[in-house]
Amino acid sequence: MKKLLSGNEALARGAWEAGVRAAFGYPGTPSTEILENLVKYDGPYCEWSPNEKVAMEAAAGAAIGGARSMVTMKLVGLNVAADPMMTLSYIGVVGGMVIVVADDPGMNSSQTEQDTRHYARLAKLPVLEPGSAVECREYMMKAFDISEKYRCPVIIRTTTCVSHSRFLCEVGERRESKDSAFEHNPSQFCPLPIWGRKLRRDVEERMVAQAAEACGSSLNQEFKRGTKLGIISSSVAALHCLDAFPEASVLKLGWAWPFPDELIRDFASRMDHVAVIEEGDPILEEHVKSLGIACDGKNVVPRCGELTPIVIQGVKARLEGTEAPVATPVADANDLPGRPPMLCAGCPHRGIFFGLTKYDVIVTGDIGCYSLGVFPPLSRTDTILCMGGGFTVAHGMVQAGEKRPVVGIVGDSTFFHSGMTGLLNMVYNQGKAILIVVDNRTTAMTGHQDHPGTGRTLMGKPTAEASIEKIAEACGVKRIRVVNPYDLKQVDDVLKESLAADEMTLIISRAPCILKERRQLGPKPSVDTAACKKCKACLKLGCPAIELSDAKAAPSVNANLCIGCGLCVQTCKFGAMK
Amino acid sequence: MLKNVMLCGVGGQGILFAAKIIAAAAELSGYDVTTNELHGMAQRGGSVTAQVRFGDGFHSPLFREGEADVLCALEPVEGLRCAHWLKADGKAAVSAQRLIPVTVSTGRATYPADLDERLARSFKTLKYIDCCAIALKLGDLRLANTVMVGALSSWLDLPESSWRAAVERSVKSGMVENNMAALKAGQEA
């Protein structure tokens, strides 16, 4: 039977068919839908962990016990989870373990464009790169087998395009697999130096065997179509190349690390000319060159961004010495208004960011929907570093003598991810800033996943609801204020008194995400054009439901978008918004 | 045979739903099919696009600018923004529903006043459709996207039975008949 599955759905399907017993992860575009789909199947235990490090360690525990496990995250999540992965490579697993990392070439929804293959090399773990949903399912099943054979986790690296493209996939049934049944073996699982040095040597031996197996693996596939040009590629870029170079042979490396040297040498020896066309960093290219094989690579292939079909056409033009095609919009599209993403109409974060526009403060932001507070007209974010960085960057600035007040913002899911350690640090080291948790009761940006504060698990069970205020109290925070972000006066009062205070304040701005709730908060206002003085105060909210297409006219409220949050009514001094 | 379908609009308009129905109709007609869509940041009111390919002779789920056989735009400015994705003889179905971006409302950009002329100049074959009015006439504004899919469907050469089966697969059973009516209204628009 065939089903039209996205790459992420196919990864979930493959893991289920492979008999995965336990799966862990933290949401992050473009990886989120893997666990959201796996949890729909009977059999595997699935959870959202508070962060990727916790998820990696839990998956390690399951696999050390002998069960098949999986952990999923986006590229930057692996930075958080890198520590346990490095040691896990040494001590290894008993049950198969797959680490799925979704990279984001083109930075569609990520702060960096890092190439996870570097981590695979650093951790000395095999990395498989499916290019389609069909391959996502197949590679997932093979990854579990490879993992059990070599007793080490296997990384599957996808990209945004692979994770979010749908293909018709053959699907099968679930295979039986073992429960955790841990067997005591300290020389394997406790990397104290006496045993660790042996484990270290084992890793090198394992890689030699893996490279040999990769040479004959069906994961590495040659498309024989001619000998003038041979392209070495991987992932979805290889599929673009198959379409763009109908006469070139393509060596598509699905298992490129540890490098299958003999396979590469054999392919190159039969080609007049070799080009390595890979998305991301020149990892394959540098290795091919180290084998003494002359090739084109990043001299014709861009280092930054996604290798889309038009970019591949440009590569082809450079290889052939012809003019690269350019994607020029039509003439009538040259002066179109931009349409950046923004806080939704009625978003509870808006009240906080609007409140902050009245004060000369530095705002250190974080990763989530509230990143959108950086855009005009709110323009109320100065820095974005990483998950949890909203609190810690604020602390560092204050301790270094910054004269202006500093406000650090994190979300609720981010607070549990890594914001709470920053809060603890500020109390412990007596920092003084205003910290705000914009608590919308969900992980909103990635599509409303539960977290330790929502009282529900990924598997839909009711559970303990972690309290941000009680955690803050236990850390030693004295000033804690909970505000309703839809009450602009309350927001302003709390900001004013907190700025005047001589100690740190934690403000919890609490109201559920309206995109999740999908309900009207109050009556939809309309503009009384006779009373409107066209002062545009309401437009400073940056609400997409308040529209003004003619600068000389009065604004109007788009009733299809408005959910009646009432912020614009509060900003109008003339009573025209009612 | 290979058909490349380009969809564009504003995050939250339901572009993924439109892609889903088209892909299902192609699959149910026996074609190999792929789709590609943007998630994440793009969902929060920004410009979004999706691609559907069906037929044979392709490996990649993506086609390039200038290769789309048909374009379906759920918002007219977004239609213009993506007009260059169409082949020279490509056909476009564009919704007349205007969504004013915040960049316009805050005075940093202007929404084109001569939209109709621009659309006429930019598309050789154009169905410019007030899909919201049609959907309201059918009793449910949420049918607007299905009206647009219907407008596109007359150019895709897929059998009527596949469209019905695709709709049955994609919506709740109580919504099948009014979605079919919306599809038909779009075809005739």
Side-chain angles (χ1 to χ4, degrees):
Chain A
M1 189 181 59
K2 281 192 172 182
K3 279 188 161 186
L4 188 65
L5 299 179
S6 71
N8 284 345
E9 288 167 346
L11 288 166
R13 180 80 197 193
W16 179 76
E17 286 184 34
V20 70
R21 300 303 292 246
F24 309 81
Y26 182 79
T29 311
S31 70
T32 313
E33 302 86 2
I34 305 168
L35 285 192
E36 287 186 323
N37 280 284
L38 184 62
V39 75
K40 293 176 187 166
Y41 293 100
D42 282 336
Y45 166 80
C46 300
E47 76 169 38
W48 289 129
S49 311
N51 67 37
E52 296 86 352
K53 180 176 184 287
V54 172
M56 178 77 77
E57 291 159 355
I64 287 170
R68 288 194 160 189
S69 75
M70 176 171 75
V71 57
T72 72
M73 63 199 71
K74 69 182 293 177
L75 60 160
V76 285
L78 187 55
N79 301 333
V80 179
D83 184 21
M85 182 173 74
M86 296 300 152
T87 312
L88 188 60
S89 172
Y90 282 29
I91 69 175
V93 293
V94 178
M97 173 169 161
V98 178
I99 300 166
V100 186
V101 187
D103 282 359
D104 189 14
M107 301 169 71
N108 299 289
S109 48
S110 308
Q111 62 271 41
T112 68
E113 199 174 52
Q114 62 194 53
D115 188 330
T116 288
R117 296 177 300 167
H118 287 295
Y119 269 114
R121 293 184 67 178
L122 180 62
K124 299 174 188 281
L125 293 176
V127 60
L128 310 187
E129 290 182 78
S132 69
V134 175
E135 290 177 352
C136 281
R137 173 181 160 275
E138 289 172 7
Y139 286 25
M140 177 62 80
M141 293 191 283
K142 288 194 173 138
F144 277 108
D145 294 338
I146 295 168
S147 172
E148 273 171 15
K149 180 173 177 182
Y150 294 99
R151 298 184 60 134
C152 69
V154 171
I155 298 173
I156 289 187
R157 177 213 185 210
T158 74
T159 64
T160 302
C161 183
V162 175
S163 281
H164 289 168
S165 292
R166 288 169 200 275
F167 284 75
L168 285 172
C169 302
E170 200 66 54
V171 293
E173 289 310 308
R174 182 163 165 91
R175 299 176 201 163
E176 285 307 307
S177 73
K178 295 185 201 113
D179 277 328
S180 177
F182 178 70
E183 287 177 26
H184 177 71
N185 184 4
S187 65
Q188 184 68 42
F189 296 125
C190 303
L192 302 173
I194 178 176
W195 295 314
R197 292 185 193 109
K198 175 174 183 307
L199 297 174
R200 169 75 188 87
R201 290 191 297 273
D202 291 347
V203 168
E204 293 301 319
E205 283 174 23
R206 178 180 85 198
M207 292 211 310
V208 172
Q210 285 171 354
E213 182 174 342
C215 285
S217 169
S218 61
L219 296 165
N220 293 325
Q221 200 180 355
E222 181 179 338
F223 295 80
K224 289 186 180 164
R225 308 196 292 184
T227 57
K228 273 194 180 157
L229 174 64
I231 294 169
I232 300 174
S233 187
S234 67
S235 189
V236 72
L239 304 187
H240 302 331
C241 288
L242 285 166
D243 285 349
F245 295 87
E247 273 139 42
S249 287
V250 175
L251 178 62
K252 181 180 175 297
L253 295 175
W255 183 2
W257 164 260
F259 296 115
D261 289 354
E262 291 316 311
L263 189 70
I264 294 167
R265 281 203 182 96
D266 170 63
F267 177 77
S269 72
R270 289 181 279 114
M271 301 296 147
D272 298 343
H273 187 90
V274 174
V276 180
I277 302 179
E278 63 191 311
E279 208 164 47
D281 292 325
I283 294 174
L284 290 174
E285 177 191 344
E286 284 173 3
H287 185 71
V288 168
K289 284 178 171 161
S290 80
L291 297 175
I293 299 166
C295 65
D296 278 306
K298 292 295 174 187
N299 56 319
V300 291
V301 182
R303 282 172 184 264
C304 306
E306 191 178 354
L307 293 191
T308 57
I310 190 103
V311 176
I312 297 282
Q313 282 298 322
V315 172
K316 188 178 185 186
R318 282 187 284 280
L319 283 170
E320 293 172 351
T322 56
E323 200 163 320
V326 279
T328 318
V330 297
D332 277 311
N334 283 340
D335 58 346
L336 294 180
R339 199 185 294 273
M342 61 198 147
L343 297 175
C344 302
C347 174
H349 300 333
R350 182 171 283 107
I352 287 291
F353 285 106
F354 183 73
L356 286 167
T357 58
K358 298 189 179 162
Y359 296 97
D360 179 26
V361 292
I362 297 164
V363 179
T364 58
D366 213 293
I367 311 291
C369 285
Y370 39 91
S371 299
L372 300 172
V374 71
F375 291 125
L378 294 168
S379 306
R380 220 61 200 110
T381 295
D382 294 286
T383 69
I384 296 173
L385 185 64
C386 59
M387 296 280 292
F391 280 2
T392 41
V393 170
H395 175 70
M397 262 186 208
V398 170
Q399 299 304 69
E402 175 58 46
K403 296 287 181 294
R404 287 161 68 198
V406 187
V407 178
I409 295 184
V410 305
D412 44 338
S413 192
T414 317
F415 178 80
F416 297 113
H417 178 281
S418 48
M420 48 198 256
T421 40
L423 176 78
L424 177 69
N425 183 53
M426 185 174 285
V427 181
Y428 170 54
N429 286 304
Q430 299 169 312
K432 184 187 166 293
I434 297 176
L435 300 185
I436 304 177
V437 182
V438 282
D439 178 8
N440 63 358
R441 318 296 298 151
T442 188
T443 317
M445 184 58 111
T446 45
H448 305 120
Q449 290 74 32
D450 281 297
H451 61 62
T454 66
R456 239 174 96 90
T457 70
L458 173 57
M459 297 184 81
K461 286 187 187 148
T463 186
E465 208 174 296
S467 159
I468 297 170
E469 347 4 4
K470 284 187 181 158
I471 289 171
E473 269 171 41
C475 289
V477 182
K478 298 277 190 311
R479 297 190 83 251
I480 300 173
R481 301 287 183 274
V482 179
V483 301
N484 169 10
Y486 293 118
D487 183 340
L488 291 179
K489 180 164 187 309
Q490 194 187 104
V491 169
D492 189 53
D493 288 347
V494 167
L495 284 176
K496 200 182 291 168
E497 60 158 66
S498 301
L499 283 163
D502 57 2
E503 60 180 339
M504 69 164 289
T505 305
L506 177 73
I507 299 173
I508 301 165
S509 163
R510 183 166 288 147
C513 172
I514 51 95
L515 205 58
K516 185 173 185 215
E517 295 278 301
R518 292 195 182 276
R519 65 185 176 91
Q520 285 294 310
L521 295 176
K524 294 179 186 192
S526 58
V527 180
D528 177 348
T529 48
C532 176
K533 306 279 188 211
K534 295 167 191 157
C535 70
K536 297 181 184 171
C538 57
L539 289 164
K540 290 181 183 154
L541 288 165
C543 176
I546 307 174
E547 295 180 346
L548 179 73
S549 44
D550 172 4
K552 288 175 198 141
S556 60
V557 176
N558 183 331
N560 290 336
L561 296 175
C562 177
I563 61 140
C565 76
L567 289 190
C568 57
V569 178
Q570 296 170 59
T571 57
C572 185
K573 290 178 190 155
F574 308 104
M577 194 69 88
K578 51 192 170 189
Chain B
M1 198 284 294
L2 172 60
K3 287 266 190 222
N4 293 327
V5 182
M6 183 82 187
L7 299 151
C8 64
V10 177
Q13 276 194 303
I15 205 171
L16 303 186
F17 173 75
K20 192 174 159 185
I21 291 194
I22 296 166
E27 182 197 342
L28 291 159
S29 305
Y31 290 112
D32 192 13
V33 57
T34 63
T35 71
N36 176 269
E37 58 215 29
L38 269 177
H39 295 236
M41 287 290 272
Q43 280 186 319
R44 302 290 178 264
S47 304
V48 291
T49 60
Q51 297 190 357
V52 182
R53 309 190 86 177
F54 64 90
D56 36 43
F58 67 100
H59 295 87
S60 164
L62 300 182
F63 52 85
R64 66 175 192 270
E65 292 83 344
E67 284 192 329
D69 295 285
V70 293
L71 169 77
C72 177
L74 301 182
E75 204 278 346
V77 156
E78 297 312 312
L80 284 172
R81 212 190 299 283
C82 288
H84 65 295
W85 282 84
L86 270 183
K87 287 177 178 168
D89 60 348
K91 300 177 171 78
V94 178
S95 161
Q97 189 198 5
R98 301 175 180 206
L99 292 177
I100 309 296
V102 166
T103 49
V104 171
S105 296
T106 51
R108 288 173 290 134
T110 50
Y111 197 90
D114 57 343
L115 203 53
D116 297 4
E117 293 84 346
R118 288 181 187 226
L119 289 166
R121 276 196 299 264
S122 303
F123 299 107
K124 272 190 196 145
T125 309
L126 172 69
K127 283 192 188 182
Y128 191 33
I129 299 168
D130 192 347
C131 61
C132 292
I134 295 173
L136 279 176
K137 217 175 183 180
L138 292 168
D140 192 341
L141 187 62
R142 290 174 299 172
L143 295 170
N145 286 346
T146 314
V147 173
M148 293 308 296
V149 172
L152 203 69
S153 67
S154 48
W155 297 324
L156 294 178
D157 303 325
L158 299 173
E160 185 66 28
S161 57
S162 298
W163 286 108
R164 173 168 282 277
V167 167
E168 282 170 357
R169 187 196 275 190
S170 310
V171 303
K172 287 184 186 144
S173 55
M175 294 289 286
V176 171
E177 290 315 318
N178 51 8
N179 269 281
M180 285 310 293
L183 206 73
K184 192 152 186 296
Q187 274 166 359
E188 289 162 1

PDB file of all heavy atoms in Angstrom, chain B residues 6-31:
ATOM      1  N   MET B   6       1.696  25.722  -8.666  1.00  0.00           N
ATOM      2  CA  MET B   6       2.218  26.654  -7.670  1.00  0.00           C
ATOM      3  C   MET B   6       1.049  27.240  -6.883  1.00  0.00           C
ATOM      4  O   MET B   6       0.054  27.675  -7.473  1.00  0.00           O
ATOM      5  CB  MET B   6       2.958  27.787  -8.401  1.00  0.00           C
ATOM      6  CG  MET B   6       3.610  28.781  -7.487  1.00  0.00           C
ATOM      7  SD  MET B   6       5.195  28.116  -6.959  1.00  0.00           S
ATOM      8  CE  MET B   6       5.655  29.348  -5.757  1.00  0.00           C
ATOM      9  N   LEU B   7       1.158  27.247  -5.568  1.00  0.00           N
ATOM     10  CA  LEU B   7       0.134  27.843  -4.714  1.00  0.00           C
ATOM     11  C   LEU B   7       0.794  28.929  -3.885  1.00  0.00           C
ATOM     12  O   LEU B   7       1.919  28.755  -3.424  1.00  0.00           O
ATOM     13  CB  LEU B   7      -0.455  26.789  -3.782  1.00  0.00           C
ATOM     14  CG  LEU B   7      -1.137  25.612  -4.474  1.00  0.00           C
ATOM     15  CD1 LEU B   7      -1.038  24.365  -3.625  1.00  0.00           C
ATOM     16  CD2 LEU B   7      -2.582  25.942  -4.752  1.00  0.00           C
ATOM     17  N   CYS B   8       0.093  30.055  -3.708  1.00  0.00           N
ATOM     18  CA  CYS B   8       0.664  31.093  -2.863  1.00  0.00           C
ATOM     19  C   CYS B   8      -0.441  31.836  -2.132  1.00  0.00           C
ATOM     20  O   CYS B   8      -1.605  31.804  -2.536  1.00  0.00           O
ATOM     21  CB  CYS B   8       1.534  32.053  -3.677  1.00  0.00           C
ATOM     22  SG  CYS B   8       0.633  32.984  -4.904  1.00  0.00           S
ATOM     23  N   GLY B   9      -0.062  32.495  -1.055  1.00  0.00           N
ATOM     24  CA  GLY B   9      -1.034  33.236  -0.263  1.00  0.00           C
ATOM     25  C   GLY B   9      -0.382  33.759   0.998  1.00  0.00           C
ATOM     26  O   GLY B   9       0.834  33.946   1.054  1.00  0.00           O
ATOM     27  N   VAL B  10      -1.212  33.959   2.011  1.00  0.00           N
ATOM     28  CA  VAL B  10      -0.742  34.502   3.279  1.00  0.00           C
ATOM     29  C   VAL B  10      -0.892  33.408   4.337  1.00  0.00           C
ATOM     30  O   VAL B  10      -1.890  32.671   4.324  1.00  0.00           O
ATOM     31  CB  VAL B  10      -1.577  35.742   3.663  1.00  0.00           C
ATOM     32  CG1 VAL B  10      -1.146  36.291   5.022  1.00  0.00           C
ATOM     33  CG2 VAL B  10      -1.444  36.814   2.593  1.00  0.00           C
ATOM     34  N   GLY B  11       0.099  33.306   5.229  1.00  0.00           N
ATOM     35  CA  GLY B  11       0.063  32.290   6.280  1.00  0.00           C
ATOM     36  C   GLY B  11      -1.254  32.333   7.034  1.00  0.00           C
ATOM     37  O   GLY B  11      -1.711  33.399   7.426  1.00  0.00           O
ATOM     38  N   GLY B  12      -1.886  31.182   7.206  1.00  0.00           N
ATOM     39  CA  GLY B  12      -3.160  31.119   7.891  1.00  0.00           C
ATOM     40  C   GLY B  12      -4.351  31.036   6.956  1.00  0.00           C
ATOM     41  O   GLY B  12      -5.465  30.744   7.371  1.00  0.00           O
ATOM     42  N   GLN B  13      -4.128  31.284   5.643  1.00  0.00           N
ATOM     43  CA  GLN B  13      -5.240  31.249   4.688  1.00  0.00           C
ATOM     44  C   GLN B  13      -5.674  29.841   4.311  1.00  0.00           C
ATOM     45  O   GLN B  13      -6.753  29.658   3.760  1.00  0.00           O
ATOM     46  CB  GLN B  13      -4.850  31.993   3.396  1.00  0.00           C
ATOM     47  CG  GLN B  13      -5.052  33.484   3.459  1.00  0.00           C
ATOM     48  CD  GLN B  13      -4.981  34.073   2.061  1.00  0.00           C
ATOM     49  OE1 GLN B  13      -3.994  33.923   1.347  1.00  0.00           O
ATOM     50  NE2 GLN B  13      -6.040  34.743   1.659  1.00  0.00           N
ATOM     51  N   GLY B  14      -4.830  28.863   4.542  1.00  0.00           N
ATOM     52  CA  GLY B  14      -5.231  27.499   4.222  1.00  0.00           C
ATOM     53  C   GLY B  14      -4.622  26.962   2.946  1.00  0.00           C
ATOM     54  O   GLY B  14      -5.203  26.137   2.249  1.00  0.00           O
ATOM     55  N   ILE B  15      -3.420  27.423   2.655  1.00  0.00           N
ATOM     56  CA  ILE B  15      -2.750  26.989   1.439  1.00  0.00           C
ATOM     57  C   ILE B  15      -2.400  25.493   1.490  1.00  0.00           C
ATOM     58  O   ILE B  15      -2.418  24.802   0.481  1.00  0.00           O
ATOM     59  CB  ILE B  15      -1.498  27.870   1.232  1.00  0.00           C
ATOM     60  CG1 ILE B  15      -1.135  27.898  -0.227  1.00  0.00           C
ATOM     61  CG2 ILE B  15      -0.332  27.431   2.037  1.00  0.00           C
ATOM     62  CD1 ILE B  15      -0.073  28.896  -0.521  1.00  0.00           C
ATOM     63  N   LEU B  16      -2.120  25.000   2.695  1.00  0.00           N
ATOM     64  CA  LEU B  16      -1.754  23.589   2.833  1.00  0.00           C
ATOM     65  C   LEU B  16      -2.951  22.692   2.534  1.00  0.00           C
ATOM     66  O   LEU B  16      -2.815  21.615   1.965  1.00  0.00           O
ATOM     67  CB  LEU B  16      -1.212  23.299   4.236  1.00  0.00           C
ATOM     68  CG  LEU B  16      -0.012  24.131   4.667  1.00  0.00           C
ATOM     69  CD1 LEU B  16       0.522  23.647   6.008  1.00  0.00           C
ATOM     70  CD2 LEU B  16       1.099  24.073   3.625  1.00  0.00           C
ATOM     71  N   PHE B  17      -4.133  23.170   2.917  1.00  0.00           N
ATOM     72  CA  PHE B  17      -5.356  22.427   2.640  1.00  0.00           C
ATOM     73  C   PHE B  17      -5.574  22.329   1.130  1.00  0.00           C
ATOM     74  O   PHE B  17      -5.892  21.262   0.595  1.00  0.00           O
ATOM     75  CB  PHE B  17      -6.538  23.121   3.326  1.00  0.00           C
ATOM     76  CG  PHE B  17      -7.881  22.528   2.977  1.00  0.00           C
ATOM     77  CD1 PHE B  17      -8.279  21.320   3.519  1.00  0.00           C
ATOM     78  CD2 PHE B  17      -8.734  23.189   2.106  1.00  0.00           C
ATOM     79  CE1 PHE B  17      -9.509  20.771   3.195  1.00  0.00           C
ATOM     80  CE2 PHE B  17      -9.969  22.648   1.780  1.00  0.00           C
ATOM     81  CZ  PHE B  17     -10.360  21.432   2.325  1.00  0.00           C
ATOM     82  N   ALA B  18      -5.362  23.438   0.433  1.00  0.00           N
ATOM     83  CA  ALA B  18      -5.526  23.449  -1.027  1.00  0.00           C
ATOM     84  C   ALA B  18      -4.544  22.473  -1.671  1.00  0.00           C
ATOM     85  O   ALA B  18      -4.915  21.687  -2.554  1.00  0.00           O
ATOM     86  CB  ALA B  18      -5.323  24.867  -1.566  1.00  0.00           C
ATOM     87  N   ALA B  19      -3.292  22.489  -1.206  1.00  0.00           N
ATOM     88  CA  ALA B  19      -2.270  21.589  -1.756  1.00  0.00           C
ATOM     89  C   ALA B  19      -2.657  20.132  -1.510  1.00  0.00           C
ATOM     90  O   ALA B  19      -2.475  19.264  -2.372  1.00  0.00           O
ATOM     91  CB  ALA B  19      -0.911  21.892  -1.126  1.00  0.00           C
ATOM     92  N   LYS B  20      -3.223  19.894  -0.342  1.00  0.00           N
ATOM     93  CA  LYS B  20      -3.603  18.532   0.043  1.00  0.00           C
ATOM     94  C   LYS B  20      -4.678  17.972  -0.898  1.00  0.00           C
ATOM     95  O   LYS B  20      -4.585  16.829  -1.355  1.00  0.00           O
ATOM     96  CB  LYS B  20      -4.134  18.584   1.485  1.00  0.00           C
ATOM     97  CG  LYS B  20      -4.316  17.261   2.167  1.00  0.00           C
ATOM     98  CD  LYS B  20      -4.700  17.513   3.641  1.00  0.00           C
ATOM     99  CE  LYS B  20      -5.381  16.304   4.239  1.00  0.00           C
ATOM    100  NZ  LYS B  20      -5.852  16.575   5.600  1.00  0.00           N
ATOM    101  N   ILE B  21      -5.680  18.781  -1.202  1.00  0.00           N
ATOM    102  CA  ILE B  21      -6.764  18.312  -2.072  1.00  0.00           C
ATOM    103  C   ILE B  21      -6.250  18.049  -3.489  1.00  0.00           C
ATOM    104  O   ILE B  21      -6.567  17.032  -4.106  1.00  0.00           O
ATOM    105  CB  ILE B  21      -7.927  19.334  -2.105  1.00  0.00           C
ATOM    106  CG1 ILE B  21      -8.612  19.357  -0.743  1.00  0.00           C
ATOM    107  CG2 ILE B  21      -8.927  18.997  -3.206  1.00  0.00           C
ATOM    108  CD1 ILE B  21      -9.949  20.054  -0.729  1.00  0.00           C
ATOM    109  N   ILE B  22      -5.421  18.970  -4.002  1.00  0.00           N
ATOM    110  CA  ILE B  22      -4.896  18.802  -5.362  1.00  0.00           C
ATOM    111  C   ILE B  22      -4.039  17.529  -5.443  1.00  0.00           C
ATOM    112  O   ILE B  22      -4.170  16.726  -6.365  1.00  0.00           O
ATOM    113  CB  ILE B  22      -4.093  20.047  -5.797  1.00  0.00           C
ATOM    114  CG1 ILE B  22      -5.024  21.274  -5.871  1.00  0.00           C
ATOM    115  CG2 ILE B  22      -3.404  19.819  -7.141  1.00  0.00           C
ATOM    116  CD1 ILE B  22      -4.300  22.600  -5.946  1.00  0.00           C
ATOM    117  N   ALA B  23      -3.181  17.347  -4.429  1.00  0.00           N
ATOM    118  CA  ALA B  23      -2.304  16.171  -4.421  1.00  0.00           C
ATOM    119  C   ALA B  23      -3.124  14.887  -4.331  1.00  0.00           C
ATOM    120  O   ALA B  23      -2.835  13.905  -5.022  1.00  0.00           O
ATOM    121  CB  ALA B  23      -1.322  16.259  -3.252  1.00  0.00           C
ATOM    122  N   ALA B  24      -4.160  14.911  -3.506  1.00  0.00           N
ATOM    123  CA  ALA B  24      -4.992  13.709  -3.365  1.00  0.00           C
ATOM    124  C   ALA B  24      -5.696  13.394  -4.682  1.00  0.00           C
ATOM    125  O   ALA B  24      -5.773  12.229  -5.099  1.00  0.00           O
ATOM    126  CB  ALA B  24      -6.004  13.914  -2.237  1.00  0.00           C
ATOM    127  N   ALA B  25      -6.194  14.435  -5.362  1.00  0.00           N
ATOM    128  CA  ALA B  25      -6.888  14.213  -6.635  1.00  0.00           C
ATOM    129  C   ALA B  25      -5.934  13.614  -7.669  1.00  0.00           C
ATOM    130  O   ALA B  25      -6.305  12.720  -8.436  1.00  0.00           O
ATOM    131  CB  ALA B  25      -7.482  15.522  -7.151  1.00  0.00           C
ATOM    132  N   ALA B  26      -4.685  14.085  -7.676  1.00  0.00           N
ATOM    133  CA  ALA B  26      -3.695  13.546  -8.610  1.00  0.00           C
ATOM    134  C   ALA B  26      -3.362  12.100  -8.263  1.00  0.00           C
ATOM    135  O   ALA B  26      -3.307  11.229  -9.136  1.00  0.00           O
ATOM    136  CB  ALA B  26      -2.434  14.407  -8.581  1.00  0.00           C
ATOM    137  N   GLU B  27      -3.174  11.839  -6.978  1.00  0.00           N
ATOM    138  CA  GLU B  27      -2.842  10.480  -6.533  1.00  0.00           C
ATOM    139  C   GLU B  27      -3.979   9.519  -6.894  1.00  0.00           C
ATOM    140  O   GLU B  27      -3.750   8.421  -7.409  1.00  0.00           O
ATOM    141  CB  GLU B  27      -2.621  10.482  -5.012  1.00  0.00           C
ATOM    142  CG  GLU B  27      -2.224   9.118  -4.466  1.00  0.00           C
ATOM    143  CD  GLU B  27      -2.412   8.998  -2.958  1.00  0.00           C
ATOM    144  OE1 GLU B  27      -2.520  10.042  -2.280  1.00  0.00           O
ATOM    145  OE2 GLU B  27      -2.460   7.861  -2.472  1.00  0.00           O
ATOM    146  N   LEU B  28      -5.214   9.964  -6.637  1.00  0.00           N
ATOM    147  CA  LEU B  28      -6.371   9.101  -6.886  1.00  0.00           C
ATOM    148  C   LEU B  28      -6.617   8.900  -8.381  1.00  0.00           C
ATOM    149  O   LEU B  28      -7.352   8.009  -8.785  1.00  0.00           O
ATOM    150  CB  LEU B  28      -7.609   9.689  -6.201  1.00  0.00           C
ATOM    151  CG  LEU B  28      -7.540   9.623  -4.666  1.00  0.00           C
ATOM    152  CD1 LEU B  28      -8.486  10.620  -4.029  1.00  0.00           C
ATOM    153  CD2 LEU B  28      -7.842   8.205  -4.178  1.00  0.00           C
ATOM    154  N   SER B  29      -5.977   9.734  -9.209  1.00  0.00           N
ATOM    155  CA  SER B  29      -6.052   9.544 -10.661  1.00  0.00           C
ATOM    156  C   SER B  29      -4.932   8.638 -11.153  1.00  0.00           C
ATOM    157  O   SER B  29      -4.779   8.433 -12.355  1.00  0.00           O
ATOM    158  CB  SER B  29      -5.963  10.899 -11.374  1.00  0.00           C
ATOM    159  OG  SER B  29      -6.942  11.785 -10.896  1.00  0.00           O
ATOM    160  N   GLY B  30      -4.123   8.138 -10.218  1.00  0.00           N
ATOM    161  CA  GLY B  30      -3.076   7.186 -10.571  1.00  0.00           C
ATOM    162  C   GLY B  30      -1.720   7.792 -10.885  1.00  0.00           C
ATOM    163  O   GLY B  30      -0.820   7.109 -11.358  1.00  0.00           O
ATOM    164  N   TYR B  31      -1.545   9.084 -10.611  1.00  0.00           N
ATOM    165  CA  TYR B  31      -0.258   9.729 -10.897  1.00  0.00           C
ATOM    166  C   TYR B  31       0.702   9.644  -9.713  1.00  0.00           C
ATOM    167  O   TYR B  31       0.273   9.599  -8.561  1.00  0.00           O
ATOM    168  CB  TYR B  31      -0.467  11.208 -11.240  1.00  0.00           C
ATOM    169  CG  TYR B  31      -1.140  11.441 -12.571  1.00  0.00           C
ATOM    170  CD1 TYR B  31      -2.417  11.971 -12.636  1.00  0.00           C
ATOM    171  CD2 TYR B  31      -0.480  11.116 -13.755  1.00  0.00           C
ATOM    172  CE1 TYR B  31      -3.041  12.191 -13.855  1.00  0.00           C
ATOM    173  CE2 TYR B  31      -1.101  11.331 -14.983  1.00  0.00           C
ATOM    174  CZ  TYR B  31      -2.371  11.865 -15.025  1.00  0.00           C
ATOM    175  OH  TYR B  31      -2.973  12.066 -16.223  1.00  0.00           O
TER     176      TYR B  31
END
